[in-house]
Amino acid sequence: MNDLVELARRVGEDRFRRACAQAYRDAPGTGRSFDVSEPDDPDLPHDLAEFVEGDLGLAIALYRAMPCYANLMYLDHWAPRPELLAELATLLDEPDDALADPVSYWLWCGPFEEDEQRSTAAWHQLTADAPEVRLRRLLDASGPVPWPAKALTFGVVLSMPEWHPLIWQAVRQAVHDYYGRVDAADALRLIDQLADPPPELDVADLQRRLRERRA
């Protein structure tokens, strides 16, 4: 099998087209939006997984046609991690949120939640020479990333005030995410250097939580 036409033929062309359209419509905001309809055909990505296994190029082509978390969830079981992350980095560089948002969510609840060594390695590979659009998306999903790894990234952009709202949110996520990782003392020093926070962020609550962790 070498293209999506054959893949669609195997599962039914109409079925495939409908699933692509719905996935593309629902992909923006994956993992963060509650205004998402249930897939009409939730089994299709799982049916397709066996046909793309072992062919990373085809798997990514399928994802681009049908961008959804389910088309990513099996890839880490068989694809070499560095090659997989390289492909995902290109998707995070896309201007289209439909292609990038499911990737951010998969990283947030997958590689970034792994043990410190593997999570740090994934973060370093994805942030190396990252363009602004990718780096912003990564910081937005950085809650579970080990603090020393993401603190290096904060340091790179700290001198640019336009990045400060995103740093505020990243610190908040490090504190509030179930698997969030934070060095409370270092985070308190960091936020003292930031410009005004986003209006929706409760700074007093964030400082209180960090002080409690530091104690």
Side-chain angles (χ1 to χ4, degrees), residues 69 76 81 104-115 119:
Y69 172 80
D76 210 26
R81 175 65 68 87
S104 296
Y105 179 63
W106 180 84
L107 289 167
W108 175 76
C109 62
F112 290 169
E113 286 187 353
E114 291 181 338
D115 65 78
S119 178

Side-chain angles (χ1 to χ4, degrees), residues 77-93:
H77 297 172
W78 54 265
R81 175 65 68 87
E83 287 86 342
L84 174 57
L85 292 181
E87 293 285 356
L88 298 185
T90 65
L91 291 165
L92 290 171
D93 294 347

Side-chain angles (χ1 to χ4, degrees), residues 18-212:
R18 288 195 301 271
C20 289
Q22 184 175 21
Y24 212 96
R25 184 190 69 217
D26 291 344
T30 295
R32 299 186 183 277
S33 173
F34 296 100
D35 186 24
V36 177
S37 59
E38 288 295 320
D40 295 333
D41 194 352
D43 293 331
L44 181 56
H46 308 287
D47 294 342
L48 291 165
E50 65 176 296
F51 299 132
V52 303
E53 184 171 347
D55 187 338
L56 184 56
L58 180 59
I60 296 299
L62 170 62
Y63 173 82
R64 284 182 173 274
M66 191 188 300
C68 62
Y69 172 80
N71 276 330
L72 298 170
M73 60 187 300
Y74 298 109
L75 302 189
D76 210 26
H77 297 172
W78 54 265
R81 175 65 68 87
E83 287 86 342
L84 174 57
L85 292 181
E87 293 285 356
L88 298 185
T90 65
L91 291 165
L92 290 171
D93 294 347
E94 292 283 353
D96 191 346
D97 289 341
L99 294 175
D101 286 359
V103 174
S104 296
Y105 179 63
W106 180 84
L107 289 167
W108 175 76
C109 62
F112 290 169
E113 286 187 353
E114 291 181 338
D115 65 78
E116 185 167 345
Q117 183 176 358
R118 285 174 62 82
S119 178
T120 296
W123 181 260
H124 286 331
Q125 180 178 341
L126 289 164
T127 56
D129 299 318
E132 179 176 334
V133 64
R134 188 199 314 168
L135 197 56
R136 286 183 175 275
R137 285 168 169 154
L138 289 169
L139 285 173
D140 195 42
S142 66
V145 173
W147 183 264
K150 59 194 174 195
L152 289 174
T153 307
F154 297 153
V156 171
V157 298
L158 183 59
S159 64
M160 295 176 275
E162 63 269 23
W163 286 84
H164 288 192
L166 197 53
I167 298 175
W168 277 109
Q169 292 293 356
V171 174
R172 180 189 179 280
Q173 289 159 8
V175 172
H176 284 269
D177 282 3
Y178 188 80
Y179 291 108
R181 289 186 263 204
V182 63
D183 179 320
D186 194 40
L188 283 165
R189 288 191 292 269
L190 173 64
I191 62 177
D192 280 343
Q193 302 174 65
L194 299 178
D196 292 340
E200 69 275 9
L201 191 143
D202 188 336
V203 175
D205 178 70
L206 180 61
Q207 291 173 325
R208 176 183 61 79
R209 290 172 184 267
L210 286 169
R211 291 190 186 103
E212 288 174 352

